[in-house]
Amino acid sequence: MAKLKDLLKNIHTNVHGFEMKRQYSDPQIYTGGVDIKKWKTLSEEQKQAALKKNWYLYYSYRDPETNLLTRQQNIKDGVNWYKTKEERLEILEKYRISLSIILKNGFNPYIPDDDLLEDEKTILTIKEAFELGIKLKEKVLAEKPFATYESRINNFKGWLDKKGFIGQPITAITKKAAQTYLNEILNKTSARSYNDARSILSSLFEVLDSNDIIEDNFISKIPTLKSTPTRNKTYTQTIQEQIFKDLKEKDSQLLLFILFISYNFLRPIEVCRLRIEDIDVVGKRLYIKAKNQPVKTKIIPEILLRELPNLENKNKKHFLFTPNGIGEWVTKNEDDKRGYFTKRFNKMVKIPMNLGAEYGLYSFRHYFIGKLYQEFAKELTPFETKSKLMLITGHTTMSALEKYLRNIDAVLPEDYSEHIELSLMG
């Protein structure tokens, strides 16, 4: 037995005397300074503190000049955009396994021409890249634009799947593929839909470009198309009066919805957002979420105040308008809510009165702003008229209001027949 121990000792000594030193350390994951195995035992404050720190993959490689194991650059690759432990670990663990494999296969960070790691870590699949882009946009977009953004991206992803791009890397998407998709949208819908889709795709690829997921946002190089927006035609006084009269008898709730557009100059989607808590009857104030600012305060004119139902004992969180009156509305999609009242208006008004596509809920806003402008203009200068109107309509600049007034033909000249007659006489 003594001889066997001596033999093993001699072998151990000889092996360690001649073995080459290991060239790298095993890749490790840094998890914000906490033991990830004890995550469940951490307090919520400790978890959040860890998630606020950068998580990354790290390793060392032997420097050829010093022959010492030297810490290499940390690998993050956008992982800290994700806000949960599970998401970060899932990505970093994939990188750890991949890095271990290429290190075993001879990867050397000190040889620039063999920089396989950079290629490995930047190429995500289409699914992974799109998920990252959607998550990042969710942090900066409001609910409605984000819903539109996510829907358009998923539509493109669905198209890619049908075309055989399932499981492909994000680099498989070419400008030609994107252009083909946009052309199909143009053929099925309109130039406006084409431009909207192009804008959202470009926004996604810009995020991927800025995070080094792709090399170039080639979507931005696809030109936009000239499109003529559909304009809601202003009602005549006769049609407006007839609509109000009919709805007073047949659908008082829809009439009240329209009165908020007509008298408070809200957009239909802003009316859909109104909750009981947003209406201050005593102070005659209305608090709404506008498209370009978090909250906007407007007065409630007396003409509209008289039409409001009794709101005293109503739940403050309930919506003023739902399919069944004041109450909860299960759907959170504002486009669906606006769409419901648009369809209801079509059924109750447009179809019975045989009104064309150019007439809609927006037409009431145009009609009453035009009427108000003409009324102010009887006693005020054009500048005074527009200055007073700006406070009511919510336009933030004079030029924006002037453009709007031109579009709805609110500013019309006086009858110039006399001047024509004089010119003919001359």
Side-chain angles (χ1 to χ4, degrees):
M1 182 66 71
K3 291 183 179 179
L4 178 59
K5 289 183 179 179
D6 291 339
L7 179 61
L8 291 175
K9 189 181 295 185
N10 287 335
I11 292 174
H12 177 79
T13 302
N14 291 334
V15 168
H16 281 273
F18 290 100
E19 72 174 353
M20 294 181 62
K21 293 181 179 179
R22 196 178 185 201
Q23 296 301 300
Y24 58 87
S25 66
D26 290 328
Q28 302 292 327
I29 298 174
Y30 176 76
T31 55
V34 300
D35 186 347
I36 203 66
K37 295 179 181 178
K38 299 180 180 179
W39 185 263
K40 291 183 179 180
T41 66
L42 300 179
S43 67
E44 192 61 33
E45 290 76 14
Q46 290 173 317
K47 291 178 181 178
Q48 291 304 316
L51 288 170
K52 287 180 180 179
K53 296 179 182 179
N54 284 329
W55 291 28
Y56 51 81
L57 186 67
Y58 66 94
Y59 74 107
S60 295
Y61 201 93
R62 196 167 298 283
D63 189 317
E65 294 184 3
T66 64
N67 203 31
L68 298 175
L69 283 175
T70 305
R71 180 77 169 262
Q72 301 300 305
Q73 183 176 359
N74 296 332
I75 300 171
K76 301 175 186 176
D77 198 39
V79 70
N80 294 295
W81 286 103
Y82 293 94
K83 302 303 179 184
T84 67
K85 178 258 298 184
E86 291 77 13
E87 290 172 316
R88 293 187 184 183
L89 278 182
E90 181 182 356
I91 295 173
L92 288 172
E93 183 60 25
K94 288 179 181 178
Y95 288 160
R96 188 192 67 77
I97 294 172
S98 298
L99 179 55
S100 296
I101 292 172
I102 64 173
L103 283 169
K104 289 179 181 178
N105 283 278
F107 168 71
N108 186 338
Y110 291 97
I111 303 176
D113 292 338
D114 194 29
D115 194 1
L116 302 176
L117 178 59
E118 184 65 20
D119 292 337
E120 177 68 25
K121 72 171 186 173
T122 56
I123 300 179
L124 301 181
T125 65
I126 293 172
K127 181 177 182 293
E128 291 170 335
F130 281 20
E131 287 177 351
L132 174 61
I134 288 173
K135 280 184 176 290
L136 296 182
K137 276 295 182 180
E138 187 176 14
K139 306 300 180 184
V140 297
L141 292 179
E143 182 180 336
K144 180 181 180 297
F146 173 72
T148 302
Y149 177 90
E150 184 177 29
S151 176
R152 293 290 179 87
I153 297 304
N154 285 334
N155 287 343
F156 182 44
K157 180 178 174 294
W159 181 87
L160 289 170
D161 289 347
K162 291 179 181 178
K163 298 296 181 180
F165 284 81
I166 297 178
Q168 294 288 323
I170 186 64
T171 50
I173 302 177
T174 62
K175 181 181 177 183
K176 182 178 180 181
Q179 184 70 73
T180 301
Y181 170 70
L182 293 173
N183 288 342
E184 289 187 13
I185 291 178
L186 177 63
N187 291 331
K188 292 178 181 177
T189 54
S190 64
R192 179 178 180 179
S193 295
Y194 170 103
N195 289 337
D196 289 345
R198 176 205 164 277
S199 176
I200 287 178
L201 291 185
S202 181
S203 177
L204 168 68
F205 276 68
E206 187 61 36
V207 170
L208 299 180
D209 185 10
S210 63
N211 284 276
D212 296 325
I213 306 301
I214 60 175
E215 293 185 1
D216 179 45
N217 175 15
F218 52 77
I219 304 292
S220 64
K221 299 180 177 64
I222 296 177
T224 57
L225 300 180
K226 183 178 180 180
S227 63
T228 303
T230 302
R231 174 181 147 186
N232 286 276
K233 189 174 181 179
T234 304
Y235 293 111
T236 64
Q237 183 172 338
T238 302
I239 293 177
Q240 175 266 313
E241 290 176 350
Q242 185 63 50
I243 292 173
F244 280 22
K245 179 182 177 182
D246 292 346
L247 288 181
K248 191 170 184 178
E249 299 174 359
K250 300 176 182 178
D251 195 336
S252 59
Q253 189 201 24
L254 180 57
L255 175 58
L256 182 61
F257 187 95
I258 291 172
L259 292 181
F260 272 93
I261 300 172
S262 303
Y263 297 159
N264 244 136
F265 306 116
L266 302 186
R267 298 172 177 83
I269 203 161
E270 292 173 336
V271 182
C272 291
R273 294 175 185 148
L274 290 176
R275 298 178 187 266
I276 303 303
E277 64 183 358
D278 300 324
I279 304 169
D280 178 6
V281 176
V282 177
K284 299 181 180 181
R285 293 291 184 272
L286 195 65
Y287 304 97
I288 63 172
K289 291 182 179 179
K291 69 176 183 178
N292 55 358
Q293 59 190 71
V295 177
K296 181 167 61 176
T297 304
K298 303 190 75 169
I299 70 163
I300 305 176
E302 187 64 36
I303 189 173
L304 178 58
L305 205 61
R306 293 195 297 263
E307 303 294 333
L308 294 179
N310 187 347
L311 305 177
E312 276 189 41
N313 299 318
K314 301 297 182 181
N315 187 321
K316 299 297 183 182
K317 295 297 181 180
H318 279 176
F319 288 98
L320 181 61
F321 295 101
T322 76
N324 301 310
I326 297 173
E328 297 180 350
W329 201 333
V330 177
T331 179
K332 293 183 178 181
N333 190 311
E334 292 183 339
D335 284 334
D336 290 345
K337 293 179 180 181
R338 178 177 56 186
Y340 166 79
F341 279 101
T342 298
K343 291 176 182 177
R344 186 164 164 176
F345 175 71
N346 292 344
K347 178 181 178 181
M348 298 300 299
V349 176
K350 290 184 67 173
I351 294 176
M353 296 185 68
N354 197 29
L355 295 175
E358 66 274 19
Y359 291 102
L361 291 170
Y362 253 103
S363 299
F364 292 104
R365 189 172 187 266
H366 301 339
Y367 173 76
F368 280 95
I369 287 179
K371 293 284 287 184
L372 202 56
Y373 176 88
Q374 293 162 12
E375 189 64 29
F376 287 158
K378 291 179 180 178
E379 299 179 356
L380 304 174
T381 66
F383 180 79
E384 291 171 333
T385 297
K386 287 179 281 190
S387 297
K388 190 171 183 178
L389 200 59
M390 273 184 67
L391 295 175
I392 299 171
T393 65
H395 287 91
T396 55
T397 65
M398 183 68 76
S399 60
L401 175 62
E402 289 171 342
K403 181 180 179 181
Y404 175 79
L405 293 173
R406 287 195 300 271
N407 287 340
I408 66 172
D409 296 326
V411 184
L412 298 174
E414 296 179 356
D415 188 350
Y416 44 85
S417 300
E418 180 183 348
H419 298 285
I420 292 178
E421 290 173 350
L422 290 174
S423 68
L424 293 174
M425 291 174 60

